[in-house]
Amino acid sequence: MQKYILNRLLQGVVLLFIVALIVFALARATGNPADLMVPEDATEEERQFVERNLGLDRPYHVQLFVFLTGIVRGDFGDSIVYKKPAAELFFERLPNTLKLLPLSMFIAVSIAIPLGVVAAVKRGTWIDQVAGAIAVFGVATPNFWIAIVCIYIFSVWLDVLPPGRMGGPLHYILPAFTLGTFSIAGIMRLIRSSMLEVLDTEYVKLARIKGLQEWKVFWKHCLRNALIPVLTLFGVFVGGFVTGAIVTETVFAWPGIGRLTIDAVAQRDFPLLQAVILLDAVIILAVNLVVDILYAYVNPRIRYD
Amino acid sequence: MSLKAVWIGSLTLSLALVLACGGAATPAEPQIVEVTRVVTEQVEVEKVVTEQVEVEKQVEVERQVEVTREVLVVATPVPPVEGVVRQQDDPTGTLTVSLQNLGSQVTDPILQGRAGHAQYQAPIYDALLGFNYDSQYGGVGPGVAAEWGIDPDGSSWTFNIAPGLVFHNGEVLDAHDVKFSLERTMYHDESVVGDGNRLNRQLRQPSEEAIEVIDDLTLRMHTDGSKPHFWSLLTRAVFQGGQIMPKDYIESVGDDGFRAEPIGSGPWMYAEHSVGDYFRYEAFDKSHRGVPHFANMSLLLVPEESTKLAMVRTGQADLIDLVPESAPEVEASGAQLTVIEGVGMFIYQFWGLYYDEAQALAVGDIRVRQAMSLAINRQDIIDFTLNGYGRPSMPFATFPTSVDVDVPRWQKWGEEELVYDPDRARALLAEAGYPDGFEVTFWSTNFSGTPYMNDLSQAVTGFWEEIGIKSDLKIIEIGVFSPMTRRPGHDEWGEGFNGAVSIFRNAGRPLPVPRYQSTFHPDSNHVAFGDRDSLTPVGEEYLRLHEIAISERDDAKRAEATNDILQLVADQWIGVPIVQGVSLYASNPETVGRWQGIYGRGELGDVFHRIPHAEGNPWQQ
């Protein structure tokens, strides 16, 4: 296992290096922050004055060298717009995004698991078809649309939930639900197929032959084993959560890393964008590594050696 | 550990985290906003304003003449606008404003490049020159300087600082603070205020010696020759330069200390902020701009339009900015609309027509370009694309507030020339040899603050289609668009926008000459009349007039040159107005009374302190 973890960590370092190169190049391919910081009719001299004071007049290879050597020291540079260390901005905002994670996971799991189990048990019936339709709807519906519809229904029409911003517990419900819907479809489909597989196994048949009550067979013997593959989905869920947060946090004016990402992109804040993408990548890599290790722990048939 | 235990533990932890992270803050109390007024009343008020332009302009012109006389003058207020704001007693309550953009969200003025993005700083800091709040048409008024004027030598300006001004920490604001602030803006190696560079270039060199403190309340600035428009660099009506910061305090606490606890002299004291989320302020009772009606103010960053609308409808926000597309929904909801006029102009412009290759193009012919203008039904654009929240335009970069401009003449020009006449357009196309139309590329983007420019581009190209002009509309992101408008890197035919058309925007500034310079001057980025090596005869004439317009001390001669520039450019149909834009705000009438923005200034940084409570100045009279 130790060898496996070491191997994954080394792969992660290589991957992060590649991500760093890509984000460095792509960020600069989409424009220059100096253009957005001066009025449209600014003269070239005024623009160069701003560019020089932002340190953007240096050649690309020099900027890349500064960027890569900075990463090694844990220094992602200062945001050229907000004038604060980019990593500090990221870690200031990260808790706000993470606050949404538990509730959105809870919403996703509490809807998806019963739906997936029922769809499997009632395979081929109208219930299965409805569950399938919900899954398709969840995958096909963009987050921003769900968010706006939720705001209209629950804030404007019913006036029971606030339309946006961080605040008390009620402020968490709409953004968490919007984020959670991204995963409902995936988890539900996975649970359904896992359940169908498990329902066909010998030990389930044996449990039935032994005369166990049907609900015990489903919820104790089938679901426990059907849930194991869902664990692997958690890594994907975190990736989807990070990207989903960009839209959700923008619509709900939630000051998390999703908003920070979109702000960095919109303002061509190179150091901030580089820091956000790289640190997001680190989190996703770490979560996937932990998930793989946990998977081996909960499923004794898995061995990485 | 069993799987069941893992799940139960996870769910318990999730619930605990939700409660823990949500428990500290108090949930907002939604308020129901009732329908109290129809917005057509507001529109009619604005119509009256439009009808008064001619009379009002006469007042404005007189004031400008006074400013440039060889004596110090006070900006004379014209009669105030009818009962919009009245001073009240002690500030109370909190004004919550949701805005789409809060710029860089930095507390130090030298770190924010654009005045339009600095509406979160304007409550804290005064500028050397301010706005004329009492005029229906805004314009420049007293700021930190109560009086100012050009000296008899013609190449220096004297500013008399208003006595008794203090910063939020109680320190007296004097001429030393002004000199320090201007120099900090120009020379600080972190300054991103491009206007600081422009200010530097207008001063006598070496500019370190150009700003002279005569006494505590008198400052003299020596310009590089005659600069009759020098004042424009020192007011937020035009630029971000000119913000006044406390010298002693900054020297005492350093840049970082100042940025952590910023001190200004404006009507709002900085309280706290969180990047990407909000700015909070407390009222300051010793500002020359007046005492705010509210004791506290929160500016919230809410980028999504639907969320802002929901916030004002549910009482989470007292005031929001909005785009014309949302206006009908706001009207239906009962929230109050406030319109600020003259904030900008949408135009389209042709690029690289001075190249030899352009002469072979249809758009190289003036008749074709005029036909393209005649094909556009601007009133339809105002009515349908902008939901009625646009205005007929004057020539390129001119407004009823424009300085050195014969406003009545150019308003008449707008009415006669910017008309919809598709038959005449087709006739001109036929006369130019293009009876069946031609193809042209139209580049479009949305500039910050006006996310409907692509809609305008689609409308314009749609009208062109009707007379046979097939437009290849290319909508691109602003970060890609901006570099293509700069000459460096695009100085060959086939590069940048050369040979094509693009949408563009002119800010509603009182001085048109700098905007003409940035598009038509041979040293500019757009070089619409050619660069120094390829200047067209029209470009040579423009250059001659430009030199007079920026340096002539005789008001009449300078105005004549400025109007000649307008005529020269108008006749070329290279930079063509589409419509004049407005800024829109929606208020909760339960909490906010009637207020008025500053004509030509779409942002509210210099207005927040004048926004009253509903009970002090109700919408329903």
Side-chain angles (χ1 to χ4, degrees):
Chain A
M1 180 63 91
Q2 285 176 342
K3 189 180 169 191
Y4 171 76
I5 294 172
L6 189 65
N7 199 23
R8 286 287 300 269
L9 287 174
L10 286 173
Q11 284 176 7
V13 170
V14 174
L15 191 63
L16 286 175
F17 179 72
I18 294 170
V19 169
L21 290 180
I22 291 173
V23 71
F24 180 89
L26 287 185
R28 283 156 181 79
T30 60
N32 187 325
D35 287 324
L36 305 177
M37 297 180 83
V38 298
E40 288 93 44
D41 56 354
T43 65
E44 183 61 15
E45 200 168 0
E46 288 161 16
R47 205 190 66 84
Q48 285 174 357
F49 169 79
V50 172
E51 199 174 60
R52 189 170 55 250
N53 284 0
L54 292 174
L56 295 171
D57 57 337
R58 290 175 291 183
Y60 285 147
H61 67 273
V62 175
Q63 293 183 41
L64 179 62
F65 179 76
V66 170
F67 170 49
L68 293 177
T69 52
I71 292 176
V72 174
R73 296 193 310 271
D75 176 8
F76 289 86
D78 286 355
S79 157
I80 55 180
V81 175
Y82 303 124
K83 302 293 175 190
K84 290 177 77 172
E88 184 184 318
L89 281 164
F90 180 86
F91 288 111
E92 270 177 13
R93 301 282 198 94
L94 183 61
N96 296 341
T97 297
L98 292 182
K99 285 173 182 176
L100 289 175
L101 184 60
L103 186 58
S104 63
M105 265 186 66
F106 174 74
I107 289 171
V109 167
S110 59
I111 294 175
I113 290 180
L115 215 56
V117 170
V118 172
V121 173
K122 304 288 182 185
R123 183 185 185 187
T125 67
W126 65 270
I127 296 176
D128 186 23
Q129 288 173 345
V130 168
I134 291 173
V136 171
F137 181 78
V139 170
T141 312
N143 264 14
F144 73 87
W145 186 82
I146 292 175
I148 290 171
V149 169
C150 283
I151 287 173
Y152 183 75
I153 294 174
F154 295 102
S155 301
V156 176
W157 190 30
L158 298 176
D159 199 13
V160 292
L161 292 172
R165 305 200 71 249
M166 277 184 69
L170 291 179
H171 286 250
Y172 286 74
I173 295 175
L174 292 184
F177 175 76
T178 305
L179 266 177
T181 52
F182 170 81
S183 307
I184 289 174
I187 296 174
M188 203 257 335
R189 298 299 293 176
L190 195 61
I191 288 284
R192 181 182 177 277
S193 57
S194 295
M195 279 291 283
L196 287 174
E197 197 179 313
V198 173
L199 282 169
D200 205 31
T201 55
E202 296 300 322
Y203 65 85
V204 170
K205 288 176 187 168
L206 181 64
R208 281 177 169 149
I209 291 168
K210 281 166 69 181
L212 276 182
Q213 290 171 302
E214 197 66 3
W215 68 269
K216 259 190 179 174
V217 174
F218 290 147
W219 296 105
K220 190 171 179 184
H221 295 274
C222 297
L223 184 58
R224 275 180 67 170
N225 290 295
L227 281 175
I228 293 175
V230 176
L231 190 60
T232 56
L233 199 66
F234 187 75
V236 180
F237 180 84
V238 170
F241 183 82
V242 169
T243 52
I246 291 175
V247 173
T248 307
E249 291 179 358
T250 300
V251 174
F252 290 104
W254 196 272
I257 54 170
R259 274 274 300 285
L260 191 65
T261 308
I262 201 73
D263 288 346
V265 171
Q267 299 181 93
R268 272 69 181 174
D269 192 338
F270 300 150
L272 183 58
L273 184 59
Q274 289 158 182
V276 169
I277 301 290
L278 271 178
L279 291 170
D280 278 347
V282 168
I283 290 173
I284 291 169
L285 281 172
V287 168
N288 278 284
L289 179 60
V290 170
V291 164
D292 285 349
I293 294 167
L294 278 179
Y295 196 54
Y297 175 71
V298 298
N299 188 349
R301 288 174 295 180
I302 303 294
R303 287 290 173 268
Y304 294 118
D305 294 330
Chain B
M1 188 189 299
S2 71
L3 191 59
K4 184 197 272 180
V6 170
W7 275 106
I8 291 173
S10 301
L11 289 177
T12 310
L13 185 63
S14 301
L15 284 170
L17 276 171
V18 169
L19 291 173
C21 61
T26 310
E29 293 179 10
Q31 296 177 347
I32 303 297
V33 179
E34 294 178 1
V35 178
T36 55
R37 182 174 174 275
V38 288
V39 176
T40 44
E41 287 179 16
Q42 176 73 11
V43 174
E44 284 177 8
V45 169
E46 299 301 336
K47 199 173 176 183
V48 173
V49 168
T50 310
E51 288 168 5
Q52 290 176 343
V53 165
E54 196 170 330
V55 174
E56 191 63 30
K57 178 61 195 173
Q58 289 171 357
V59 176
E60 286 293 303
V61 169
E62 283 174 14
R63 188 178 62 71
Q64 290 302 333
V65 170
E66 284 187 343
V67 167
T68 52
R69 275 182 192 154
E70 295 173 352
V71 289
L72 291 177
V73 293
V74 182
T76 310
V78 296
V81 184
E82 192 178 340
V84 171
V85 173
R86 68 167 186 256
Q87 197 54 40
Q88 47 100 62
D89 301 326
D90 291 337
T92 55
T94 298
L95 177 67
T96 304
V97 185
S98 294
L99 298 168
Q100 190 260 340
N101 185 0
L102 280 181
S104 299
Q105 300 157 66
V106 285
T107 54
D108 189 338
I110 67 167
L111 302 181
Q112 174 66 63
R114 303 177 67 159
H117 290 180
Q119 59 180 329
Y120 64 96
Q121 286 185 345
I124 305 173
Y125 301 101
D126 283 321
L128 184 55
L129 301 182
F131 290 94
N132 187 350
Y133 286 109
D134 296 323
S135 166
Q136 210 159 34
Y137 292 104
V140 176
V144 162
E147 304 169 335
W148 67 96
I150 194 164
D151 294 338
D153 65 3
S155 59
S156 62
W157 285 69
T158 301
F159 297 83
N160 281 2
I161 310 302
L165 297 183
V166 290
F167 288 107
H168 300 152
N169 61 356
E171 286 179 13
V172 173
L173 189 161
D174 62 23
H176 297 281
D177 296 300
V178 177
K179 175 180 166 66
F180 168 82
S181 299
L182 297 179
E183 290 178 345
R184 189 167 184 266
T185 304
M186 287 189 291
Y187 308 135
H188 198 293
D189 59 10
E190 289 181 277
S191 174
V192 296
V193 184
D195 316 331
N197 178 271
R198 190 175 296 198
L199 177 66
N200 192 359
R201 283 183 286 122
Q202 294 232 347
L203 289 172
R204 188 178 71 194
Q205 301 298 317
S207 58
E208 287 84 347
E209 299 166 10
I211 302 177
E212 187 184 355
V213 173
I214 306 298
D215 59 45
D216 282 353
L217 294 178
T218 313
L219 190 84
R220 183 165 294 141
M221 295 193 218
H222 301 279
T223 56
D224 182 19
S226 172
K227 305 286 180 191
H229 298 141
F230 180 71
W231 56 268
S232 69
L233 295 169
L234 303 165
T235 169
R236 276 195 290 263
V238 184
F239 291 125
Q240 170 71 352
Q243 319 268 14
I244 307 306
M245 297 161 264
K247 176 176 183 289
D248 292 345
Y249 177 70
I250 294 177
E251 287 178 344
S252 157
V253 301
D255 288 338
D256 290 341
F258 171 60
R259 289 165 190 172
E261 292 183 40
I263 297 290
S265 56
W268 297 95
M269 295 185 289
Y270 168 85
E272 60 169 336
H273 85 286
S274 171
V275 172
D277 197 7
Y278 63 84
F279 262 78
R280 296 214 168 97
Y281 310 82
E282 293 168 7
F284 180 56
D285 61 2
K286 296 183 179 64
S287 167
H288 78 93
R289 284 195 260 165
V291 182
H293 296 255
F294 288 83
N296 301 288
M297 178 170 73
S298 295
L299 300 186
L300 312 178
L301 179 59
V302 183
E304 171 58 34
E305 185 84 355
S306 308
T307 314
K308 278 186 298 176
L309 292 172
M311 288 178 80
V312 79
R313 290 177 70 172
T314 58
Q316 260 209 340
D318 302 308
L319 181 68
I320 62 167
D321 56 359
L322 68 153
V323 296
E325 188 184 2
S326 306
E329 186 181 341
V330 168
E331 291 176 39
S333 75
Q336 304 295 342
L337 271 181
T338 300
V339 182
I340 303 179
E341 303 279 348
V343 299
M345 172 187 292
F346 301 104
I347 64 160
Y348 63 85
Q349 70 183 73
F350 296 87
W351 297 79
L353 294 186
Y354 58 91
Y355 286 98
D356 291 339
E357 291 87 339
Q359 307 320 309
L361 300 177
V363 295
D365 190 314
I366 286 183
R367 291 168 297 181
V368 170
R369 298 198 294 270
Q370 186 179 4
M372 293 169 85
S373 174
L374 290 166
I376 300 169
N377 188 335
R378 291 171 172 81
Q379 192 57 49
D380 269 7
I381 290 178
I382 291 171
D383 291 341
F384 300 109
T385 310
L386 299 177
N387 277 321
Y389 292 102
R391 301 290 179 259
S393 189
M394 290 171 60
F396 186 92
T398 53
F399 302 87
T401 47
S402 292
V403 174
D404 291 341
V405 168
D406 183 349
V407 171
R409 169 185 165 188
W410 293 109
Q411 284 180 321
K412 188 164 178 285
W413 179 89
E415 290 163 9
E416 292 173 352
E417 297 295 332
L418 300 179
V419 293
Y420 176 53
D421 191 344
D423 293 336
R424 194 168 145 219
R426 287 191 189 91
L428 279 170
L429 280 187
E431 190 182 315
Y434 300 94
D436 301 322
F438 56 91
E439 292 184 5
V440 68
T441 301
F442 193 108
W443 295 88
S444 183
T445 193
N446 285 329
F447 284 4
S448 173
T450 47
Y452 44 88
M453 287 172 67
N454 289 331
D455 297 338
L456 293 172
S457 300
Q458 286 182 334
V460 167
T461 52
F463 285 117
W464 288 350
E465 291 278 346
E466 288 183 8
I467 61 165
I469 300 171
K470 295 172 187 62
S471 307
D472 178 13
L473 180 60
K474 293 183 184 297
I475 294 177
I476 55 176
E477 223 279 329
I478 180 69
V480 181
F481 184 96
S482 290
M484 292 174 79
T485 67
R486 292 203 314 270
R487 182 156 172 74
H490 304 105
D491 50 1
E492 299 289 334
W493 180 253
E495 294 178 337
F497 292 154
N498 290 332
V501 199
S502 84
I503 196 160
F504 217 81
R505 183 180 71 182
N506 294 333
R509 296 171 180 160
L511 202 58
V513 173
R515 182 64 188 87
Y516 277 78
Q517 182 177 357
S518 65
T519 291
F520 301 102
H521 195 279
D523 298 332
S524 69
N525 276 326
H526 299 183
V527 289
F529 290 151
D531 60 15
R532 295 275 179 186
D533 299 327
S534 56
L535 203 56
T536 61
V538 173
E540 286 175 3
E541 174 62 4
Y542 163 79
L543 196 53
R544 185 185 72 79
L545 295 168
H546 171 79
E547 293 304 324
I548 300 169
I550 62 165
S551 59
E552 174 59 53
R553 292 190 58 208
D554 183 288
D555 300 328
K557 288 180 182 171
R558 197 174 62 248
E560 185 183 351
T562 302
N563 285 294
D564 285 349
I565 288 175
L566 265 60
Q567 188 68 63
L568 189 76
V569 168
D571 290 344
Q572 295 302 309
W573 299 99
I574 285 180
V576 185
I578 304 172
V579 292
Q580 187 179 301
V582 301
S583 282
L584 288 173
Y585 291 89
S587 319
N588 180 345
E590 300 268 312
T591 56
V592 170
R594 293 182 67 230
W595 59 278
Q596 176 178 298
I598 300 170
Y599 191 96
R601 185 81 253 173
E603 302 78 30
L604 302 185
D606 287 271
V607 175
F608 289 126
H609 65 286
R610 297 168 66 84
I611 295 177
H613 291 278
E615 58 272 25
N617 203 329
W619 287 86
Q620 291 277 339
Q621 294 295 309

